[in-house]
Amino acid sequence: MSGFRLKDHPRAAAAEIGFRFNGSDYRGRAGDTLAAALIANGVVVVGRSFKYHRPRGIIGSGFAETNALVQLGTGAHTVPNAVATRVPLREGLAASSVNCWPSVGFDLGGLNDRFSRLLSAGFYYKTFIWPSWHLFEPIIRRLAGLGRAPTLPDPDRYAARSHACDVLVIGGGPAGMAAARAAAGGGVQVTLVEADDHVAMEPLPNLRILTRTTASGYHDHNLVTAVEEIDGPVVRQRFWKIRAKRVLIAGGAFERPLLFGCNDRPGVMLAGSILHYLERHGVAAGRRPLFAVVDDQGYDVAIAARRAGLDVVGIVDARPEPGPIAAAADALGIAIYPNHSVTRAIGRKVVSGAELIDQATGQRIRIVCDLIGMSGGWSPAVQLFTQSGGTLRFEDRIGAFVPDRSVQNARSCGAARGIFDHADCIADGAAAGHWAATGEDREVPEIAAAVRAPLHLPPPGAKAFVDMQTDVTVDDLRQATDENYRSVEHVKRYTVWGMGTDQGKLGAVNGVAVLAALQGLAPGALGTTKFRPPFAPVAFGAVAADRLLGPFFHPWKHLPAHHWHVAQNAVFEDYGWLRPSHYPEGDETMAEAAHREALAVRGRVGLFDSSSLGSIEIRGRDAGRFLDLMSVGSPSTIKLGAVRYNLLCNELGTLMDDGVIARLGEDHFLMTASTSHAERVYRWLDEWHQCEWPLALSIAEQTARWAVLTVAGPRARIVLENADCDVDLSREAFPHNQIRSGRIAGVVARIQRVSFTGELSFEIAVAADYAESLATHLMTCGAAEGIIPFGLEALDLLRLEKGYIHIGSDTDSRTQPADIGWGKGIARKAGDFLGKRSLLHPSASAPGRAQLVGLQPVDPAVVLPIGAHIIGGDPHPSRGIVTSSGFSPMLERGLSLALLDGGRALMGSVVTAWSEGRSWPATVADPGVYDPRGERLNG
Amino acid sequence: MSRNYSALALLRGALGGNRNWDQAWRSPEPRAHYDAVIVGGGGHGLATAYHLAKTHGMTNVAVLEKGWIGGGNTGRNTTIVRSDYYYPQSAAFFNHSVSLYEKLSRELNFNIMFSQRGMLTVAHSRGEVDFQRRLVNGMALNGIDMEMVTPDQARKLCPIMNFGPEARYPILGGMLQRRAGTVRHDAVVWGYARAADRVGVDIIQNCGVTGIDRDPASGAVTGVQTTRGAIGCGKLGVAVAGHSTMLADMAGFRLPLRSYALQAFVSEPLKPVLDVVASSALLGVYVSQSDKGGLVIGGNADAYASYAQRGNIPTAEAVSAALVEFIPSFSRVKMLRQWAGIVDYAHDSSPVLGLSPVPGLYLNCGWGGGGFKAIPAGGETFAHTIATGTPHPLITAFSLDRFRDLALVDEAAAAGIEH
């Protein structure tokens, strides 16, 4: 093949563009695709096939290109497996062939081709078993794969856009344009997407045209996704989600190759693609083309090639009686070979001729040519239609599958449903457009009955490729059939036919026809393999576009007083919310800071930001009843202004969360939830309310509306007394487990006497906007008492000393209330509640359940690693886990909480904790060792 | 009886133009009666039939498959085999399964390509590292080859993960099972099918079960109604994953299972770029590279019950974003296909394996997203259970009774993501 540019085509006058391919410099023209420019420069071999590393040239002109895959660019901008027929030429573009070494011209992997019979369908299932697959796998891996993935982060960005319209037209060819015009004429909002860079139609006010936009997926409820190529300095692609009332699929058709020996040689092309390069790009793919056809459709190309000045050496027509169109070709002096077919392409690396056979006599002749154009008929692009749920039927008139039954509001028109005549396409598109705008059906053209030659199976050994990229031949399909892989899905998986980057656009229909013939069935009897989204490969970055990445992947949740914490030198950590873990002074480590902060709380007073604790209000006539159903306890009996510790279980009686419930009014409760469980607890309440117990109440998640600051420590009351608070703070008027409303420094506040540290605590909630001013105010008022802010690390030490648990860390998916010492009252609770059945089940009181205990390492300096196991169990070695650990500032020793099988019966005994090969003896103790009688929190 | 596969066989095949290969399995007409019928021609069903014939000498056995064998979850999963299970019962079972996988190519004379490249699950916070330590220690005590890895070790195993300062979730460590890896999923189906056929099992494709016949007096199973006629059987094994509840319905009992779509993705083929199975539960994504070069990617199951075996956009977006966040250089790599399988979950994400309330009917279901890795052990123990009428010791914890007895094996809490 010796491609060249036609001098009298307008493209020849377009601006020159320089580009590189495989290290050589070339010049193309503005408007070229990379494929067109390569052909114009006479480049023939552009890639190597997947398995046999056979040299491959450009075979097509669009999505169905399976050979011309290139690596575009380098470094972070590189794109693997770009399809040269879809890459617009740009100044400075650099591309190289994939899957070849050392070069595309001389590829050592080409040795595979010599041994191709050893490497037939599924050969790897039959060998490489001894001594071990691991010996062979690295070599196979290196040989497989095509392009190279970038290894640097993607510097480009992707945009996303949602769009709604009345009518979406997919494809801007003759049928698509007619459809869009007719639909727009009906006054509705129409959007047309076209993969190419222009649509040759007039603008209309209610028609939006998106060029360089490829519909990629067709999902439920007429949701179509599309990828728009932007290639801008910032945005590379835009991912569209288009919801249309009606969708018209006018995506055209794919031409089928013919099955003859070496039909994969560079220089063998689809006839329609030869025409595409001639007409669109003014590029001839060869000087002496030969065309092989099975019906009238290839003749047009031969005639056009002749008119463009090429030396068309003949048309090989597989039909005994060529149609009337043969006369037109004959008139141009083109030789016709009726009742002949090509048996093989001649030429080692590129086509230098073709061998024909006279089907009547069996006589073979050779013809010299540098290009073979194949026209095996056209298959409608039904991929999006089947994605929509539509079914297909085999249409004998065109030898391919066409859309049959739609399940969504969609129609196919034009070539996408087997209408190939230009005028018919326009009429079909117009009818579809009219239907889309009005819902009215109009008469549509019939699929034309063509005289076609039947499928001709090449003889064994012919190396006739059904799927070029994956190197699947007719012989492979034959072998798979012999081996009883009969379902098309089995054959696909066994031979990898249709699994290339084109996902069968080139070879699927030929393949099912061959398989059916091998099984003695009608061509459409086996159906097709499943066409999955996307229609054409889509960058993950483009699909991800709508979900921002980095800091926005899961947006940070900042506390309302975040900036205040920053000013206090807080170190933040992500606990679902970005919360201060500690406030180091000087060069303190985290452990040192936490130690200091915890001692300050025990000795004086500290300020802790509790704003991230879940805050859920339940309000309504049945609020108390509902909470009783949801809780282990009976919140309905909480007195007005009182607060009570509460446990939530799931149906299995397993602990979900703990917290406190405050009664703000007769029908008004405030529930707190752990930071990490807040969202789940809210959804949990909501689900049970909506699905099981639709009682008279409403549930509102209020966490973000409130800032909650906790003043904790023996001097907490003094701090508040100095803080311009209008609530009576005395021990008698405001005891532990009570809630009051009032004002602090004029700001409306809810104050609760609850404690997560074991110290006297006031938890003050104000509107979130007042967070920073309240924090500043409290620090000022507490300055004389030595108040300092303390973070989660200190809180963790304080709760550990008290044995206060964190549900989810100190409990697991089996832990029930009794296992943490809250078993009393469950059997007595009269009403039903979530988990009751499970908690009264014998398994809940079985011996040996894992129970919460404290652990004190025998060596007080040891801090057991969280996640250590307690060993020595029987029959299984593990008998428990260390769930929390730290070095207690008050006891000056390591302390842990643990879930230990039958733990409460083991108090005082020494067990062995083990982690990653190390072990430590530790004494089983009560979980709460500091102030065990809980006197300090009463202040 | 087909001949053995070997390099020599390939040579013989090549010399004969590859026209001399035997059928991998026959496609016989169903007989009127079998001693045992297995419903479901996936990995579990075929492995069970193989072991019934091979190990227990029951050769009058059929596998009934509604469509084509391996067309369900065995052919749709992301091919990962591992045994990083937490509870001792699960650990014993899945570790046994990995051991069987290590020998399976030879056992079946079919290369299933178990690539023990290791599976790395990263941790993104101190809390997650602590949790992984709990898992790793527990697994190690149960005899599983699990180890903690440092961030540096994680970087060596997979340098393209997001170690950059812009990462939303830094990588603070991880856990690694070196024996874990990937297996060519279709090969498991075909290998078991061929091996089962060779010991006399009838594989009946395109044969959907429409009803279950029971003896009116004893209630015991006597046969099945199918789209290819009535087939009598002495024992009936059901291994149909997401459709188990429908089969149970035919037999007149209910199962505590829910079926969800679990989606997966594969990329265009690439030269080797990822040498381990890399997973992040927090991000909700895991990825490996097949020997063919495609990235095989999965995420979490859809949040709602469904039988729709297809992908959707919200999951594609969520998983793509997680993938790019996890391995930023994959942003420019292209998705080639998106699909879904229907996975059936019990409350505790452990399988239901053993006896059913109906005499003669045995259950193999509830695998969730984890059935593929269990195929060899599932087949072996299920065959034992069917042949002897007594649950195999490795599966007693997975009986249906555990829901009545509240003796759950809660792996849901231990795993965090399907794969």
Side-chain angles (χ1 to χ4, degrees):
Chain A
M1 179 166 81
S2 44
F4 61 97
R5 195 174 290 282
L6 301 173
K7 291 197 176 61
D8 51 356
H9 190 279
R11 181 66 58 81
E16 280 212 334
I17 288 180
F19 70 101
R20 280 177 85 79
F21 180 68
N22 284 338
S24 300
D25 289 315
Y26 296 98
R27 316 227 25 105
R29 301 283 176 177
D32 282 353
T33 59
L34 174 59
L38 287 171
I39 295 172
N41 279 282
V43 176
V44 183
V45 180
V46 295
R48 290 276 174 166
S49 64
F50 193 90
K51 183 159 77 171
Y52 300 138
H53 290 250
R54 287 168 70 92
R56 292 286 164 79
I58 293 158
I59 186 172
S61 53
F63 289 104
E65 177 61 49
T66 64
N67 292 345
L69 300 190
V70 296
Q71 186 87 26
L72 273 188
T74 54
H77 285 96
T78 195
V79 176
N81 306 326
V83 183
T85 55
R86 304 252 317 122
V87 174
L89 201 64
R90 296 248 187 277
E91 184 64 43
L93 179 146
S96 54
S97 302
V98 301
N99 200 33
C100 50
W101 188 86
S103 77
V104 73
F106 176 74
D107 176 15
L108 277 179
L111 276 175
N112 285 359
D113 194 29
R114 300 283 180 84
F115 301 104
S116 63
R117 278 192 168 187
L118 277 173
L119 310 180
S120 70
F123 72 95
Y124 31 78
Y125 299 118
K126 296 170 178 161
T127 183
F128 306 138
I129 298 173
W130 294 90
S132 160
W133 171 238
H134 294 132
L135 188 69
F136 302 99
E137 190 194 17
I139 304 161
I140 302 272
R141 278 192 78 193
R142 274 201 293 279
L143 286 174
L146 291 174
R148 293 185 188 284
T151 52
L152 297 168
D154 190 345
D156 285 332
R157 288 182 56 182
Y158 301 82
R161 183 80 66 85
S162 290
H163 177 66
C165 55
D166 294 311
V167 176
L168 171 67
V169 181
I170 299 170
M177 287 191 291
R181 197 174 287 124
V188 299
Q189 293 298 320
V190 182
T191 299
L192 184 154
V193 297
E194 165 57 47
D196 209 338
D197 60 8
H198 78 289
V199 174
M201 74 179 287
E202 67 288 359
L204 295 167
N206 55 336
L207 170 66
R208 178 171 194 168
I209 296 176
L210 299 172
T211 55
R212 299 194 70 203
T213 304
T214 305
S216 58
Y218 196 140
H219 298 270
D220 287 351
H221 310 295
N222 266 9
L223 176 68
V224 174
T225 56
V227 178
E228 181 183 3
E229 303 287 341
I230 309 277
D231 286 341
V234 178
V235 174
R236 180 176 174 227
Q237 293 171 337
R238 183 178 288 129
F239 190 67
W240 288 81
K241 285 177 275 185
I242 304 170
R243 184 88 64 178
K245 289 181 187 145
R246 292 199 167 107
V247 175
L248 300 177
I249 301 171
F254 298 115
E255 196 167 16
R256 296 192 291 276
L258 291 174
L259 303 174
F260 53 81
C262 298
N263 59 348
D264 64 325
R265 275 283 177 265
V268 180
M269 291 181 73
L270 295 169
S273 297
I274 294 174
L275 186 65
H276 168 87
Y277 291 112
L278 274 178
E279 293 189 339
R280 178 76 188 277
H281 298 287
V283 169
R287 295 183 186 277
R288 294 173 56 78
L290 173 75
F291 290 90
V293 305
V294 294
D295 58 20
D296 285 352
Q297 293 187 78
Y299 278 82
D300 292 340
V301 185
I303 290 167
R306 182 73 198 86
R307 289 194 173 131
L310 305 190
D311 178 14
V312 177
V313 296
I315 298 175
V316 184
D317 191 330
R319 297 171 297 181
E321 297 291 335
I325 195 170
D330 193 46
L332 288 169
I334 302 173
I336 314 279
Y337 298 87
N339 208 18
H340 279 65
S341 56
V342 175
T343 53
R344 67 187 174 94
I346 297 167
R348 254 194 74 218
K349 204 171 271 179
V350 300
V351 166
S352 60
E355 182 189 78
L356 319 186
I357 185 165
D358 182 332
Q359 286 163 166
T361 64
Q363 192 182 359
R364 289 166 196 259
I365 51 172
R366 287 184 170 213
I367 291 184
V368 175
C369 62
D370 65 353
L371 176 66
I372 299 175
M374 309 178 280
S375 184
W378 291 77
S379 308
V382 294
Q383 284 80 359
L384 287 167
F385 179 77
T386 55
Q387 281 180 33
S388 80
T391 56
L392 302 178
R393 66 184 166 82
F394 190 79
E395 174 54 73
D396 280 319
R397 286 174 288 187
I398 62 166
F401 294 89
V402 295
D404 187 17
R405 194 175 51 83
S406 296
V407 300
Q408 303 207 40
N409 241 337
R411 274 193 188 184
S412 299
C413 58
R417 73 171 190 93
I419 306 290
F420 299 129
D421 177 77
H422 189 81
D424 281 355
C425 273
I426 292 170
D428 199 42
H434 182 76
W435 166 79
T438 65
E440 293 167 15
D441 283 317
R442 278 190 179 165
E443 201 178 329
V444 294
E446 272 293 304
I447 293 172
V451 180
R452 302 181 66 255
L455 177 82
H456 175 72
L457 275 188
K463 284 204 177 178
F465 287 82
V466 179
D467 190 320
M468 308 268 171
Q469 188 183 94
T470 56
D471 282 328
V472 178
T473 63
V474 172
D475 279 357
D476 288 318
L477 300 188
R478 203 173 257 132
Q479 184 196 328
T481 305
D482 288 347
E483 295 185 84
N484 204 25
Y485 293 88
R486 300 243 160 172
S487 152
V488 288
E489 295 285 355
H490 279 157
V491 178
K492 175 181 166 182
R493 288 150 179 262
Y494 188 60
T495 65
V496 300
W497 152 68
M499 290 181 81
T501 52
D502 72 317
Q503 291 284 287
K505 292 184 185 71
L506 190 69
V509 176
N510 271 344
V512 292
V514 169
L515 290 171
L518 290 169
Q519 294 186 29
L521 302 170
L526 291 171
T528 66
T529 56
K530 190 90 180 167
F531 299 120
R532 300 276 184 194
F535 169 76
V538 178
F540 287 103
V543 182
D546 214 15
R547 311 279 175 110
L548 298 172
L549 300 173
F552 306 104
F553 175 70
H554 290 163
W556 294 107
K557 287 162 85 174
H558 292 101
L559 297 170
H562 181 77
H563 297 291
W564 182 85
H565 293 295
V566 172
Q568 306 300 311
N569 198 32
V571 173
F572 294 92
E573 211 164 322
D574 184 13
Y575 301 88
W577 291 70
L578 208 53
R579 303 171 73 187
S581 62
H582 60 291
Y583 302 81
E585 288 180 355
D587 54 0
E588 270 182 337
T589 64
M590 181 172 73
E592 288 163 356
H595 189 90
R596 173 181 52 77
E597 291 168 17
L599 284 176
V601 174
R602 291 273 186 249
R604 306 191 306 273
V605 62
L607 181 70
F608 182 78
D609 192 333
S610 314
S611 303
S612 61
L613 281 182
S615 175
I616 301 165
E617 292 192 29
I618 299 102
R619 218 169 173 161
R621 198 180 63 226
D622 296 325
R625 199 175 139 209
F626 176 70
L627 287 173
D628 285 358
L629 286 165
M630 297 299 299
S631 308
V632 176
S634 302
S636 65
T637 62
I638 298 172
K639 297 212 162 40
L640 206 63
V643 176
R644 192 186 290 166
Y645 182 69
N646 188 59
L647 292 173
L648 298 177
C649 287
N650 64 16
E651 302 95 316
L652 293 166
T654 298
L655 287 166
M656 274 193 69
D657 196 28
D658 61 354
V660 297
I661 294 182
R663 189 164 207 158
L664 301 175
E666 192 52 39
D667 297 335
H668 190 184
F669 294 83
L670 170 66
M671 176 190 276
T672 62
S674 318
T675 298
S676 52
H677 300 154
E679 222 178 291
R680 187 146 61 100
V681 167
Y682 168 69
R683 288 206 306 261
W684 179 251
L685 296 175
D686 200 37
E687 181 185 340
W688 281 89
H689 178 225
Q690 288 197 33
C691 303
E692 303 294 333
W693 295 316
L695 300 171
L697 58 102
S698 61
I699 306 167
E701 211 271 344
Q702 302 279 23
T703 309
R705 288 190 56 196
W706 295 89
V708 184
L709 296 176
T710 302
V711 183
R715 302 186 195 168
R717 186 175 286 118
I718 307 171
V719 175
L720 252 69
E721 281 166 356
N722 291 336
D724 184 17
C725 177
D726 65 1
V727 173
D728 182 349
L729 298 163
S730 66
R731 189 184 305 191
E732 299 68 30
F734 192 179
H736 187 60
N737 275 341
Q738 292 281 310
I739 184 167
R740 298 288 181 267
S741 292
R743 286 173 184 268
I744 290 187
V747 176
V748 173
R750 284 175 183 163
I751 307 175
Q752 294 193 60
R753 281 282 316 274
V754 290
S755 178
F756 300 103
T757 58
E759 299 298 326
L760 170 67
S761 283
F762 295 88
E763 198 179 280
I764 307 155
V766 294
D769 286 351
Y770 292 100
E772 299 198 352
S773 60
L774 178 65
T776 306
H777 178 63
L778 290 170
M779 288 297 283
T780 308
C781 301
E785 309 307 321
I787 193 168
I788 61 159
F790 67 102
L792 264 166
E793 284 299 309
L795 181 74
D796 224 29
L797 297 176
L798 295 164
R799 72 160 186 99
L800 186 63
E801 289 178 335
K802 292 296 297 175
Y804 293 162
I805 62 163
H806 180 247
I807 303 272
S809 305
D810 298 307
T811 65
D812 68 13
S813 60
R814 300 170 298 183
T815 310
Q816 298 180 342
D819 301 326
I820 60 163
W822 284 82
K824 288 181 213 131
I826 288 173
R828 285 201 309 273
K829 182 172 169 181
D832 197 10
F833 66 96
L834 249 180
K836 181 176 187 180
R837 180 182 157 275
S838 301
L839 293 174
L840 297 178
H841 189 273
S843 64
S845 48
R849 289 189 63 90
Q851 293 169 324
L852 181 80
V853 295
L855 279 187
Q856 301 186 1
V858 171
D859 176 353
V862 165
V863 176
L864 299 176
I866 298 172
H869 280 242
I870 298 143
I871 58 172
D874 181 47
H876 307 299
S878 172
R879 56 197 288 221
I881 42 180
V882 173
T883 58
S884 293
S885 261
F887 189 82
S888 161
M890 297 306 288
L891 282 76
E892 297 190 319
R893 66 161 5 272
L895 279 185
S896 293
L897 296 176
L899 283 172
L900 178 60
D901 293 348
R904 278 207 295 277
L906 298 170
M907 289 298 164
S909 59
V910 174
V911 295
T912 305
W914 179 92
S915 180
E916 297 182 77
R918 299 179 63 200
S919 57
W920 306 266
T923 309
V924 182
D926 270 323
V929 288
Y930 180 72
D931 181 28
R933 293 165 67 181
E935 288 159 347
R936 297 182 63 87
L937 53 74
N938 287 318
Chain B
M1 167 74 84
S2 62
R3 283 169 295 180
N4 264 351
Y5 290 157
S6 64
L8 197 66
L10 280 178
L11 187 63
R12 198 164 49 225
L15 294 175
N18 289 312
R19 297 309 315 274
N20 49 2
W21 289 104
D22 300 320
Q23 289 195 343
W25 61 84
R26 301 160 296 125
S27 292
E29 285 301 310
R31 294 178 210 162
H33 186 273
Y34 291 94
D35 294 337
V37 161
I38 308 298
V39 187
H44 281 276
L46 292 164
T48 302
Y50 168 71
H51 281 288
L52 279 174
K54 176 91 189 302
T55 315
H56 301 280
M58 291 177 70
T59 50
N60 186 25
V61 171
V63 175
L64 310 185
E65 167 53 49
K66 182 171 68 175
W68 37 282
I69 58 170
N73 292 344
T74 314
R76 292 165 186 269
N77 69 84
T78 48
T79 80
I80 294 162
V81 168
R82 59 184 170 90
S83 59
D84 54 343
Y85 283 75
Y86 183 64
Y87 291 106
Q89 303 89 339
S90 320
F93 177 85
F94 286 100
N95 225 19
H96 181 58
S97 204
V98 171
S99 301
L100 292 178
Y101 259 127
E102 286 170 333
K103 295 173 280 196
L104 198 58
S105 291
R106 294 176 193 187
E107 167 83 20
L108 301 180
N109 179 234
F110 203 98
N111 186 3
I112 57 138
M113 301 178 221
F114 188 9
S115 168
Q116 291 177 288
R117 53 184 70 179
M119 172 158 162
L120 172 67
T121 304
V122 298
H124 299 283
S125 67
R126 285 192 290 147
E128 230 183 330
V129 172
D130 288 344
F131 188 68
Q132 286 195 344
R133 190 178 303 108
R134 178 194 291 194
L135 297 179
V136 167
N137 282 329
M139 291 171 192
L141 288 171
N142 288 326
I144 294 171
D145 62 310
M146 288 299 292
E147 55 196 277
M148 303 283 287
V149 298
T150 64
D152 279 346
Q153 289 170 314
R155 193 193 289 261
K156 280 205 186 79
L157 287 162
C158 188
I160 53 178
M161 289 191 303
N162 195 351
F163 290 94
E166 78 290 351
R168 171 64 177 83
Y169 296 107
I171 292 171
L172 300 186
M175 56 184 197
L176 174 71
Q177 184 179 23
R178 294 188 191 272
R179 278 171 76 215
T182 58
V183 169
R184 173 84 185 103
H185 56 10
D186 292 323
V188 175
V189 176
W190 302 332
Y192 271 119
R194 175 167 165 271
D197 181 88
R198 276 159 50 122
V199 287
V201 172
D202 281 0
I203 295 166
I204 319 285
Q205 300 186 85
N206 300 309
C207 180
V209 170
T210 55
I212 293 175
D213 299 331
R214 297 172 61 182
D215 182 85
S218 68
V221 168
T222 58
V224 288
Q225 299 293 322
T226 77
T227 52
R228 294 178 68 171
I231 299 173
C233 66
K235 296 183 171 191
L236 183 65
V238 175
V240 297
H243 291 76
S244 300
T245 47
M246 297 181 175
L247 267 289
D249 200 41
M250 291 177 198
F253 64 96
R254 296 185 68 196
L255 285 172
L257 299 174
R258 267 194 238 186
S259 295
Y260 299 88
L262 177 55
Q263 301 185 39
F265 310 81
V266 69
S267 81
E268 58 192 325
L270 302 163
K271 289 295 175 193
V273 65
L274 176 66
D275 296 329
V276 293
V277 181
S279 173
S280 165
L282 185 65
L283 294 171
V285 68
Y286 62 93
V287 54
S288 65
Q289 185 174 23
S290 76
D291 287 334
K292 244 183 97 219
L295 302 174
V296 183
I297 301 148
N300 289 305
D302 289 357
Y304 49 90
S306 169
Y307 282 110
Q309 285 182 319
R310 60 180 187 270
N312 60 31
I313 284 300
T315 300
E317 289 175 329
V319 173
S320 298
L323 177 71
V324 175
E325 187 61 28
F326 191 27
I327 302 182
S329 55
F330 286 167
S331 171
R332 298 175 89 83
V333 171
K334 295 183 280 297
M335 179 199 299
L336 201 56
R337 284 169 80 81
Q338 176 189 12
W339 69 95
I342 303 304
V343 295
D344 50 328
Y345 277 97
H347 236 84
D348 56 358
S349 285
S350 282
V352 174
L353 197 50
L355 313 183
S356 82
V358 173
L361 194 157
Y362 302 87
L363 293 169
N364 173 327
C365 53
W367 296 103
F372 179 66
K373 67 180 72 66
I375 285 171
E380 184 186 284
T381 57
F382 196 43
H384 172 100
T385 307
I386 293 173
T388 65
T390 310
H392 189 281
L394 271 177
I395 63 167
T396 50
F398 304 126
S399 74
L400 188 58
D401 292 343
R402 75 176 187 273
F403 299 99
R404 185 195 62 207
D405 301 337
L406 288 185
L408 304 190
V409 186
D410 197 350
E411 291 291 343
I417 193 168
E418 297 86 356
H419 34 248

